[in-house]
Amino acid sequence: MTENKLLRVLGLKESISMTIGTVVGVGLFTCGSSQIGLVGSWIIGFTFVSLLVSIWPCLIYGEMSAALPEAGGTYNFAKRGLNRIWANMAGWHYIVSVVAIGAGETLAFSNYFTILLQAIGIDITWLDPRFIACLLVAVFLVLNYFGIKQSGKAQTLFIFFFWACSICWFLYMIPKIHLEYFGGIAMDKMPSFKEMMYIFGLVWWCYTGFETCVSVGGETKYPQYTLPRALKISVFLVFAVNALFQWFLVGLIPHEFYGLLASADAPYAEGLMAAGFIGTPIILLCVAIAFGGDLSTINPGIAAPARYVYSMAEDYSLPSVFGKVHPKYKTPHNAILLVGVINFILIATGSIDYIASVSLISLAVCYMIGCLSYMGLRRRHPELKRPYKAPYGVLGCYVTIVIYVFMLFFADQIALATAGVLSVVCIVFWYFYTQHKGDSIPAIEDEIGEVMEPTVEEKRIMDRDYNIWKWGTIIVTIISLAIYFIPMHL
């Protein structure tokens, strides 16, 4: 293996874990679920609509990632489907947005970790949560520096630990659920349409990052099968996890505490304490969220954007020093360190809400460029081998773009201005730096390398594993919907 090549070692389990880890975390456990304080049990409606508007983009990315399985995701799709300006725009927005998810997650960890220690009699409220967040980033920088294989194994461990603790918490809290809490919206008046769209944006943010597995496509084994399957499963698993946790928050917290939920930094912990649940419920919940949900988001929050930086540097869209691969660990080590620096800057703001708004806007921009890239690839490269094809992909692109543009009209204005400044800086950087580095695009075969086909036995095992994931996901999705509709119609 040459020095400048990444290793294909990630399978379906790791791809799903990377994606779920990125998506299920800071959104669900902070500003996403705090919207229950505004809409009550009808949060399921916002969560379900967010699922619907995320399915088509997942399928579209599934087709592109199977055809172009390399590090960099949307950046590389735009490079070939549009041009380098659009590619750089997508790359910059993705890097900032996913790093923002990781940075927000470290702050969320600090909040839940502090509450956890309080529950066992240790007070660290005097310690700035940004210090804990920065320390956590440093730990994960080291983990990612020393190899994607180790990072992937750790990711799977975090995810399964999160699910195990969550199931234990679910079983412990079920007897304490009040089905009568599911009636009505529990507020004095309906939010205005503008407010409802803002709420929807924050709930939709709980789905962003669905293409994390695509960004590490250059390190995925048999990506022509693994990536589309991981995307299809992940989006429904994200819905199920969000819906289940939100159901418990609705069923446990009396309506009189909704005002607290709406402004809480850690709505699950703060809501439980307000409702009188202390001791074991708080400890078990905070362990699950902090050491499962939060850690599983921070890890890919460093790994995924680092691959974008690496891919852009290889194309001279960023300084070439970030395109180097460590000769021993086979990781883009300099890119990983750059992502760490950006994390520290965002953590310094100390505001999860601001970070969330910046992230959702930048990811929406990135996904819209991805949709344009899909149509460009269809037109420019009809000969491209497409192992998976999204149903009505072009129509899905138009629908997705319209929905995202409409949603951005109601986003936080300061964060929207931040995204605008980022776009301007990107264009200026391209004009003075990138365009002078040449505009030649290597042949697809040279850039991706040989993508191996699995043996008959390997394919049989892959199909078996996929069917297990698929049916498990179908069952848990049906359960997640049923548990809302049953109490709401009793």
Side-chain angles (χ1 to χ4, degrees):
M1 185 66 64
T2 58
E3 180 182 344
N4 63 340
K5 293 294 182 182
L6 302 174
L7 300 177
R8 292 193 181 275
V9 295
L10 302 177
L12 179 64
K13 179 176 59 184
E14 291 82 12
S15 296
I16 293 172
S17 296
M18 282 281 188
T19 302
I20 297 296
T22 302
V23 181
V24 177
V26 63
L28 170 61
F29 298 124
T30 57
C31 51
S33 289
S34 67
Q35 304 311 305
I36 290 173
L38 300 175
V39 298
S41 60
W42 290 98
I43 190 70
I44 187 61
F46 291 87
T47 302
F48 186 68
V49 173
S50 297
L51 167 68
L52 295 181
V53 301
S54 299
I55 292 174
W56 234 338
C58 278
L59 300 181
I60 290 166
Y61 268 80
E63 178 175 328
M64 291 191 292
S65 63
L68 297 170
E70 53 185 321
T74 308
Y75 168 78
N76 280 309
F77 303 153
K79 178 178 68 178
R80 297 184 183 277
L82 299 171
N83 57 47
R84 285 196 181 275
I85 300 178
W86 285 105
N88 278 269
M89 187 82 70
W92 281 53
H93 275 285
Y94 180 87
I95 291 167
V96 168
S97 60
V98 178
V99 172
I101 291 175
E105 198 66 59
T106 58
L107 291 170
F109 174 90
S110 299
N111 292 330
Y112 279 100
F113 183 66
T114 300
I115 293 172
L116 171 62
L117 292 183
Q118 283 181 310
I120 61 177
I122 301 174
D123 183 13
I124 62 166
T125 54
W126 53 270
L127 184 62
D128 191 325
R130 292 175 294 183
F131 175 80
I132 300 174
C134 288
L135 184 63
L136 200 59
V137 168
V139 171
F140 280 93
L141 285 176
V142 173
L143 177 64
N144 279 271
Y145 189 96
F146 289 114
I148 188 66
K149 190 172 184 178
Q150 288 76 11
S151 178
K153 288 180 178 179
Q155 185 64 23
T156 302
L157 175 64
F158 295 144
I159 284 294
F160 280 93
F161 177 81
F162 168 67
W163 285 346
C165 289
S166 298
I167 291 171
C168 291
W169 186 75
F170 291 161
L171 294 174
Y172 186 86
M173 299 304 293
I174 279 178
K176 301 171 176 59
I177 291 292
H178 295 268
L179 296 181
E180 64 271 19
Y181 290 174
F182 288 85
I185 301 182
M187 53 189 173
D188 296 331
K189 62 178 182 178
M190 287 287 291
S192 66
F193 181 74
K194 182 178 180 180
E195 291 173 324
M196 292 184 70
M197 286 301 300
Y198 180 76
I199 293 170
F200 172 72
L202 290 176
V203 175
W204 172 78
W205 188 53
C206 297
Y207 287 82
T208 56
F210 63 77
E211 81 308 336
T212 299
C213 59
V214 177
S215 66
V216 292
E219 293 155 287
T220 304
K221 193 175 183 180
Y222 307 129
Q224 66 272 41
Y225 302 103
T226 301
L227 293 177
R229 290 175 172 182
L231 286 161
K232 285 188 284 187
I233 289 171
S234 295
V235 69
F236 285 96
L237 277 181
V238 168
F239 166 77
V241 174
N242 276 274
L244 285 169
F245 267 95
Q246 291 166 350
W247 185 82
F248 275 89
L249 197 58
V250 171
L252 291 170
I253 309 303
H255 295 173
E256 59 262 32
F257 296 118
Y258 274 13
L260 180 148
L261 284 183
S263 59
D265 290 328
Y268 284 88
E270 294 179 45
L272 287 180
M273 288 190 295
F277 296 105
I278 57 176
T280 301
I282 291 291
I283 293 172
L284 188 57
L285 174 71
C286 288
V287 167
I289 293 176
F291 293 100
D294 289 342
L295 297 189
S296 67
T297 299
I298 299 167
N299 187 38
I302 291 174
R307 270 61 188 181
Y308 267 70
V309 173
Y310 162 79
S311 186
M312 293 173 70
E314 272 205 321
D315 282 345
Y316 304 104
S317 295
L318 290 174
S320 59
V321 66
F322 299 117
K324 295 185 180 297
V325 173
H326 196 284
K328 179 179 179 181
Y329 304 116
K330 302 300 181 185
T331 56
H333 54 296
N334 292 332
I336 290 170
L337 295 176
L338 176 63
V339 168
V341 172
I342 302 173
N343 261 287
F344 295 140
I345 293 172
L346 288 172
I347 289 170
T349 69
S351 173
I352 294 178
D353 286 340
Y354 171 74
I355 290 173
S357 296
V358 169
S359 176
L360 75 87
I361 292 169
S362 285
L363 275 176
V365 171
C366 182
Y367 295 159
M368 286 189 287
I369 295 174
C371 289
L372 293 173
S373 303
Y374 176 88
M375 294 186 285
L377 287 169
R378 281 287 188 94
R379 184 179 64 256
R380 292 185 176 187
H381 297 281
E383 80 293 346
L384 189 63
K385 184 179 179 181
R386 293 172 169 84
Y388 169 78
K389 290 187 178 181
Y392 304 101
V394 174
L395 176 61
C397 289
Y398 284 117
V399 172
T400 299
I401 291 172
V402 170
I403 291 174
Y404 288 177
V405 169
F406 185 71
M407 186 171 61
L408 290 182
F409 278 119
F410 303 95
D412 180 85
Q413 296 301 301
I414 296 177
L416 198 60
T418 302
V421 170
L422 177 63
S423 299
V424 172
V425 170
C426 172
I427 294 172
V428 171
F429 185 85
W430 173 86
Y431 181 82
F432 286 104
Y433 179 86
T434 306
Q435 71 165 336
H436 301 297
K437 297 295 182 179
D439 199 31
S440 61
I441 298 177
I444 293 175
E445 296 78 10
D446 294 336
E447 189 166 63
I448 297 176
E450 183 180 6
V451 178
M452 303 294 292
E453 279 288 331
T455 65
V456 174
E457 178 62 17
E458 287 175 324
K459 184 64 165 56
R460 185 189 67 79
I461 295 174
M462 290 170 62
D463 291 343
R464 182 201 64 192
D465 292 346
Y466 173 61
N467 282 325
I468 293 173
W469 278 99
K470 181 178 71 176
W471 285 107
T473 300
I474 290 172
I475 291 170
V476 74
T477 300
I478 292 173
I479 292 173
S480 302
L481 283 170
I483 60 175
Y484 276 91
F485 292 121
I486 292 174
M488 291 175 71
H489 289 84
L490 286 178

